[in-house]
């Protein structure tokens, strides 16, 4: 009895549909993990790309969790999202190595990694260590050299993931060329590059003029399959002694188009806004209320668009996806102007990352925004 109470998870304890990576509540991705693992074992670097919020970062963290558990590779994850130049990259890289290899004595770590260079340590409000690098120009290259040398000297198999790798393209330096030189030199360190599949990343890896041209294997992350996601959702509810019916799950996955982030958000709501069982009417109430609550935000975004773009994005939302946006029947059905001004508006929306080109045609990027447009216009 006593153990029973300890072991059975209570709904109030936590929500399994976290919006942060959690190894315990991670859905599927077995093929992708195997592919990445095989590449590492065979000494190949990999580019991981997909539209936003499908689960690239979580996939890499899950792979790293597995590799660390197996002790087959040491893993280093570097998020380049907020970086603007090679110095920022070096700082992120340095901080990652400090935490990983010198967590017990950070000051000593700084001395070891950046000996003779202007580097010191400070602590942010939440107590996390921050590296202060007073380096510019050639010293940046020297510091990077030290960091890669350090990894080389470990004589262990190491995998480094650079997430949001497309940021490099906007650095003022020839960062890709610099990094490529270091990367090619390593024989115990393998790399995963990750980012959203926009034209910047495409250009970095598929243009013959660029340093990273054909330097890696590549995988485009797709949506998790509907049956896998449905089974995962049911399992999560059951782990907490609650239940969700098949048709409620089907409605949620239909509403979110099985896009990972949106599914997690709605399931998170369904989990804590319901009692013992979630049935279809409750699922409808949850998705409806969610869009209702976000209405003001989305209206603000919508109102910023020029009239032409408002009409085009609403038409795409109502269609779900559109293969030929200049086709006469689409233009007539949605009372859109000439095909040339519709295409112009479409290109502007693609440029703003509000619409993207998926396999099935042009789609609204943000699934909740799509549902908002569908509902209110
Ligand atoms: N397999 C999974 N199981 C459960 N939750 C997941 C899974 N993959 C991703 N998530 C969750 O979905 C959300 C989006 O995932 P993630 O941030 O990894 O996407 P991303 O492709 O890296 O997005 P971005 O392009 O914006 O960086 C996160 O909240 C993450 O925790
Ligand atoms: Mg990410």
């Amino acid at each position: 009895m006593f153990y029973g109470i300890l072991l059975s998870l209570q709904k109030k304890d936590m929500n399994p549909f976290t919006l942060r990576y959690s190894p315990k509540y991670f859905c599927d991705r077995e093929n992708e993990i195997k592919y990445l693992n095989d590449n590492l074992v065979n000494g190949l670097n990999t580019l991981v790309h997909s539209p936003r919020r499908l689960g690239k970062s979580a996939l890499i963290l899950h792979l790293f969790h597995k590799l660390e558990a197996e002790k087959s590779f040491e893993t280093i994850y570097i998020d380049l999202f907020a970086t603007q130049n090679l110095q920022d990259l070096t700082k992120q890289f340095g901080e990652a190595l400090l935490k990983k290899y010198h967590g017990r004595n950070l000051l000593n770590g700084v001395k070891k990694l950046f000996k003779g260079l202007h580097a010191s340590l400070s602590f942010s409000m939440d107590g996390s260590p921050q590296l202060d690098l007073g380096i510019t120009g050639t010293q940046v290259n020297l510091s990077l050299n030290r960091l890669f040398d350090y990894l080389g000297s470990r004589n262990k198999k190491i995998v480094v993931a650079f997430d949001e790798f497309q940021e490099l393209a906007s650095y003022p330096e020839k960062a890709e060329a610099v990094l490529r030189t270091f990367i090619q030199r390593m024989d115990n360190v393998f790399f995963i590059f990750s980012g959203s599949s926009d034209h910047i990343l495409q250009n970095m890896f598929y243009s013959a003029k660029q340093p990273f041209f054909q330097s890696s294997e590549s995988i485009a992350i797709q949506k998790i399959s509907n049956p896998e996601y449905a089974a995962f959702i049911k399992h999560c509810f059951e782990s907490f002694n609650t239940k969700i019916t098949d048709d409620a799950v089907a409605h949620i996955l239909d509403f979110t188009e099985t896009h990972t982030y949106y599914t997690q958000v709605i399931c998170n709501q369904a989990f804590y806004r319901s009692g013992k069982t979630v049935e279809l009417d409750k699922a409808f109430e949850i998705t409806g209320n969610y869009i209702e609550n976000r209405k003001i935000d989305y209206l603000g975004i919508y109102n910023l668009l020029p009239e032409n773009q408002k009409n085009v994005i609403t038409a795409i939302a109502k269609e779900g996806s559109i293969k030929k946006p200049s086709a006469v029947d689409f233009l007539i059905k949605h009372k859109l102007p000439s095909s040339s001004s519709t295409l112009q508006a479409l290109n502007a929306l693609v440029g703003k990352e509000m619409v993207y080109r998926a396999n099935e045609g042009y789609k609204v990027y943000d699934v909740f925004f799509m549902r908002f447009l569908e509902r209110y216009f």
Side-chain angles (χ1 to χ4, degrees), residues 52 56-57 77 163-164:
R52 290 234 160 259
K56 300 174 289 294
S57 303
Y77 174 85
D163 204 353
E164 304 290 353

Side-chain angles (χ1 to χ4, degrees), residues 56-308:
K56 300 174 289 294
S57 303
L59 170 66
I60 295 169
L61 293 175
H62 200 57
L63 170 76
F64 280 13
H65 179 78
K66 172 181 135 57
L67 298 176
E68 292 284 352
E70 290 169 352
K71 299 196 189 316
S72 50
F73 285 83
E74 294 182 348
T75 65
I76 295 159
Y77 174 85
I78 300 160
D79 185 356
L80 298 177
F81 185 68
T83 61
Q84 288 173 4
N85 49 43
L86 261 183
Q87 186 185 1
D88 290 348
L89 179 147
T90 310
K91 182 169 140 49
Q92 294 289 338
F93 196 7
E95 280 174 6
L97 296 201
L98 277 177
K99 275 184 217 154
K100 171 96 189 165
Y101 297 117
H102 301 283
R104 293 224 182 114
N105 193 341
L106 293 166
L107 284 173
N108 202 26
V110 173
K111 277 189 204 146
K112 273 194 178 153
L113 287 174
F114 295 100
K115 196 175 171 203
L117 297 166
H118 292 283
S120 59
L121 211 56
S122 64
F123 291 88
S124 60
M125 299 282 271
D126 66 359
S128 61
Q130 284 189 326
L131 194 58
D132 300 317
L133 288 178
I135 51 168
T136 48
T138 50
Q139 287 221 318
V140 174
N141 282 19
L142 211 59
S143 304
L144 268 177
N145 200 9
R146 290 274 173 77
L147 298 177
F148 280 105
D149 273 355
Y150 179 79
L151 292 181
S153 72
R154 286 195 62 77
N155 286 327
K156 290 260 170 68
K157 284 195 287 175
I158 301 172
V159 48
V160 176
F162 286 112
D163 204 353
E164 304 290 353
F165 193 67
Q166 72 279 352
E167 295 300 319
L168 256 79
S170 58
Y171 290 2
E173 305 96 344
K174 287 197 162 55
E176 292 161 69
V178 172
L179 215 57
R180 192 186 87 145
T181 315
F182 289 119
I183 286 172
Q184 281 185 334
R185 200 179 78 188
M186 311 303 298
D187 51 18
N188 64 323
V189 187
F190 308 97
F191 295 86
I192 292 176
F193 310 101
S194 176
S196 54
S197 332
D198 55 14
H199 62 279
I200 305 172
L201 202 64
Q202 299 279 335
N203 190 43
M204 287 170 92
F205 285 85
Y206 301 115
S207 157
K209 287 190 206 137
Q210 301 302 325
F212 276 85
F213 177 59
Q214 290 187 344
S215 62
S216 307
E217 297 302 299
S218 159
I219 179 170
I221 302 304
Q222 310 288 336
K223 289 176 181 175
I224 294 169
S225 81
N226 192 299
E228 291 284 0
Y229 224 143
F232 170 75
I233 295 168
K234 288 188 75 113
H235 170 77
C236 285
F237 273 83
E238 281 157 14
S239 306
F240 286 80
N241 280 322
T242 50
K243 203 172 164 262
I244 184 163
T245 60
D246 288 342
D247 51 5
V249 173
H251 166 64
I252 290 175
L253 290 177
D254 178 52
F255 182 85
T256 63
E257 297 194 325
T258 37
H259 194 122
T260 320
Y261 168 76
Y262 304 94
T263 308
Q264 292 294 116
V265 170
I266 294 296
C267 288
N268 180 289
Q269 298 270 315
F271 187 80
Y272 87 86
R273 288 188 188 278
S274 54
K276 269 270 174 213
T277 307
V278 182
E279 290 178 343
L280 184 60
D281 54 349
K282 187 71 188 170
F284 267 102
E285 186 188 310
I286 282 158
T287 52
N289 284 347
Y290 191 80
I291 297 304
E292 176 80 35
N293 290 338
R294 300 283 311 264
K295 190 172 152 187
I296 305 284
D297 297 340
Y298 282 132
L299 207 52
I301 297 169
Y302 177 79
N303 283 334
L304 286 176
L305 294 174
E307 215 52 37
N308 213 356

Side-chain angles (χ1 to χ4, degrees), residues 43-62:
L44 302 170
N45 299 334
T46 314
L47 167 68
V48 176
H49 65 101
S50 81
R52 290 234 160 259
R53 295 174 160 187
L54 267 182
K56 300 174 289 294
S57 303
L59 170 66
I60 295 169
L61 293 175
H62 200 57

